């Protein structure tokens, strides 16, 4: 896989990595841009040792006198740590929907008990964050420079001064890598990684992966497209940078996607189509972005969408372009695609 990336990384480009909605603005890089680590586990120190260190995917090693308990994390990372028994009290990123319910990215966390420093893009209450007295901030990163996801550019330097940060890369690698890194992070924070719930989830993920591999091998003619809907644009994702699509492709899934030359304009992430041209690519299954910032399939009223063979055949499934990086939460997305391929009719 290549780590080449367009210099002008924007939120639009990152979100459309999964096929998504985009609203401009480069994220502020909080931390150095050393070469990333693929996760050997050597950067962690077990919680029982007293002092805590963790080497993140920027190559930055965070050292604290004790294992942090006042953790602030991007909501998806917090949700993953929750699955391993580590409860994060402070979060940022899509946590609550407009009606106050848990966002899809909040996983199983009780959002009513969380301190939310920012629920939407470019929102982060620095004063509230300072008063919280965080010991460490943890987020994902979608680029090779280690830019912290959902940390606003305008206040990034202020936020960086209040606590050290940890970045888990979800850029240009298969999902198994960040899954392992978050596993190591949880273990370093004191999680019991030998607990039946934890080991069972990993086994279920591995079984689901083998099921998907078998389904793809048995139905090589079934074409899958990853898309996302906005009011005026339909995004078609490439597969070379997104952690879920790279993994699915490695398991043999037959994706239909824009050419490299077309993807180049977005740094390799996506192609944007007008709704009039939504039928440019022929697919048997369409995976649609499930994040709350995007328009969901049931709410798409465009006639061109409704005429697509996969839509008419009822072969549209959900996709999580920002999967919660715990084995438990990744089982369903693998199983859903496997089932879709197993049962799909050839319509393209």
């Amino acid at each position: 896989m290549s780590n080449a990336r367009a210099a002008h990384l924007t939120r639009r480009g990152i979100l459309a990595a999964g096929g998504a909605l985009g609203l401009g603005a480069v994220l502020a890089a909080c931390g150095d841009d050393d070469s990333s680590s693929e996760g050997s586990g050597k950067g962690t120190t077990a919680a029982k040792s007293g002092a805590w260190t963790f080497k993140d995917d920027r190559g930055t090693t965070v050292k604290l006198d004790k294992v942090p308990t006042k953790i602030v994390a991007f909501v998806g990372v917090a949700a993953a740590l929750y699955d391993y028994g580590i409860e994060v009290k402070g979060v940022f990123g899509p946590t609550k929907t407009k009606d106050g319910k848990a966002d899809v990215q909040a996983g199983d966390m009780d959002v009513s008990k969380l301190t939310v420093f920012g629920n939407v893009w470019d929102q982060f209450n620095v004063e509230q964050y300072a008063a919280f007295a965080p010991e460490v901030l943890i987020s994902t990163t979608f680029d090779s420079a280690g830019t912290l996801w959902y940390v606003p550019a305008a206040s990034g330097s202020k936020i960086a001064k209040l606590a050290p940060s940890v970045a888990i890369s979800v850029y240009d690698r298969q999902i198994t890598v960040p899954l392992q890194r978050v596993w190591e992070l949880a273990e370093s924070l004191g999680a019991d990684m030998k607990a039946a719930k934890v080991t069972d989830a990993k086994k279920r993920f591995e079984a689901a992966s083998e099921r998907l591999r078998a389904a793809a091998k048995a139905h090589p003619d079934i074409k899958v497209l990853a898309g996302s809907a906005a009011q005026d644009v339909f995004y078609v994702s490439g597969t070379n940078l997104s952690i879920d699509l790279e993994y699915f492709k490695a398991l043999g899934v037959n994706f239909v996607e824009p050419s490299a030359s077309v993807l180049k304009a977005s740094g390799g992430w996506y192609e944007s189509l007008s709704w009039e041209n939504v039928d440019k690519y022929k697919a048997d299954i369409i995976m649609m972005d499930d994040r709350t910032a995007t328009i969901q399939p049931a709410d798409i009223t465009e006639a061109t969408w409704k005429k697509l063979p996969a839509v008419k055949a009822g072969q549209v499934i959900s996709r999580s372009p920002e999967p919660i990086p715990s084995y438990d939460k990744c089982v369903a997305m693998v199983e859903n695609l496997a089932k879709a391929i197993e049962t799909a009719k050839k319509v393209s």
Side-chain angles (χ1 to χ4, degrees):
M1 297 177 290
S2 170
N3 277 313
R5 184 65 188 272
H8 59 287
L9 178 63
T10 63
R11 180 186 181 226
R12 181 178 183 179
I14 294 174
L15 285 182
L21 169 80
L23 301 174
V26 178
L27 291 171
C30 299
D32 60 49
D33 59 353
D34 293 344
S35 59
S36 64
S37 165
E38 291 279 321
S40 65
K42 295 179 181 179
T44 65
T45 299
K48 63 183 179 181
S49 69
W52 182 79
T53 68
F54 188 84
K55 185 176 182 180
D56 75 0
D57 289 339
R58 299 170 299 185
T60 299
T61 298
V62 176
K63 299 180 180 180
L64 299 175
D65 292 337
K66 62 183 181 67
V67 177
T69 55
K70 300 204 74 174
I71 302 169
V72 173
F74 174 69
V75 62
V77 176
L81 291 174
Y82 182 87
D83 287 345
Y84 295 130
I86 303 297
E87 294 195 32
V88 175
K89 302 298 184 181
V91 301
F92 56 97
T95 306
K96 300 179 181 180
T97 58
K98 291 181 179 180
D99 57 5
K101 295 181 180 179
D103 187 276
V104 64
Q105 291 184 257
D108 294 333
M109 294 188 296
D110 183 347
V111 297
S112 68
K113 296 181 179 179
L114 297 173
T115 298
V116 183
F117 299 104
N119 194 67
V120 298
W121 181 255
D122 225 20
Q123 178 189 91
F124 197 111
N125 191 320
V126 181
E127 291 73 21
Q128 184 186 25
Y129 178 66
F132 186 83
E135 294 173 304
V136 66
L137 179 147
I138 307 170
S139 190
T140 51
T141 179
F142 279 85
D143 62 27
S144 59
T147 303
L148 295 174
W149 188 226
Y150 263 82
V151 173
S155 54
S157 59
K158 293 180 181 178
I159 293 169
K161 292 176 181 178
L162 295 171
S165 62
V166 167
I168 300 296
S169 180
V170 289
Y171 168 67
D172 195 12
R173 62 203 61 205
Q174 294 178 31
I175 195 171
T176 46
V177 178
L179 280 174
Q180 178 62 25
R181 291 298 280 143
V182 174
W183 176 289
E184 293 166 1
L185 176 62
E187 185 174 36
S188 78
L189 293 169
D192 180 4
M193 307 313 286
K194 294 182 180 179
K197 178 183 177 182
V198 173
T199 57
D200 176 66
K202 188 173 184 179
K203 290 177 182 178
R204 289 188 291 113
F205 174 80
E206 292 168 348
S209 298
E210 288 307 309
R211 178 183 175 184
L212 178 55
R213 187 194 303 276
K217 184 176 181 179
H219 305 279
D221 60 328
I222 296 299
K223 297 179 180 180
V224 181
L225 180 146
S228 183
Q231 183 174 354
D232 300 317
V233 180
F234 181 81
Y235 296 100
V236 179
S237 295
T239 61
N240 287 333
L241 299 177
S242 299
I243 57 174
D244 61 328
L245 301 185
E246 283 204 15
Y247 186 58
F248 297 153
K249 183 169 62 174
L251 291 176
V253 175
N254 181 9
F255 282 99
V256 54
E257 58 183 318
S259 66
S261 59
V262 171
L263 292 171
K264 186 176 181 180
S266 66
W269 291 104
Y270 67 95
E271 177 182 4
S272 57
L273 299 174
S274 66
W275 284 103
E276 289 77 11
N277 295 316
V278 74
D279 60 352
K280 178 177 179 178
Y281 299 101
K282 310 302 179 184
D284 303 295
I285 296 171
I286 300 177
M287 304 172 67
M288 288 295 289
D289 190 338
D290 68 356
R291 290 172 294 181
T292 52
T294 66
I295 300 175
Q296 297 306 299
D299 299 319
I300 299 175
T301 59
E302 301 290 342
T304 48
W305 164 261
K306 294 180 178 180
K307 291 179 181 179
L308 293 177
V311 175
K312 292 171 67 176
Q315 295 176 176
V316 178
I317 64 173
S318 65
R319 175 197 169 214
S320 300
E322 289 183 70
I324 293 171
S326 76
Y327 286 103
D328 180 71
K329 292 301 177 289
C330 288
V331 171
M333 71 175 195
V334 180
E335 289 183 335
N336 289 345
L337 181 54
K339 181 180 178 181
I341 293 174
E342 290 166 349
T343 59
K345 296 179 181 177
K346 181 66 179 175
V347 295
S348 65

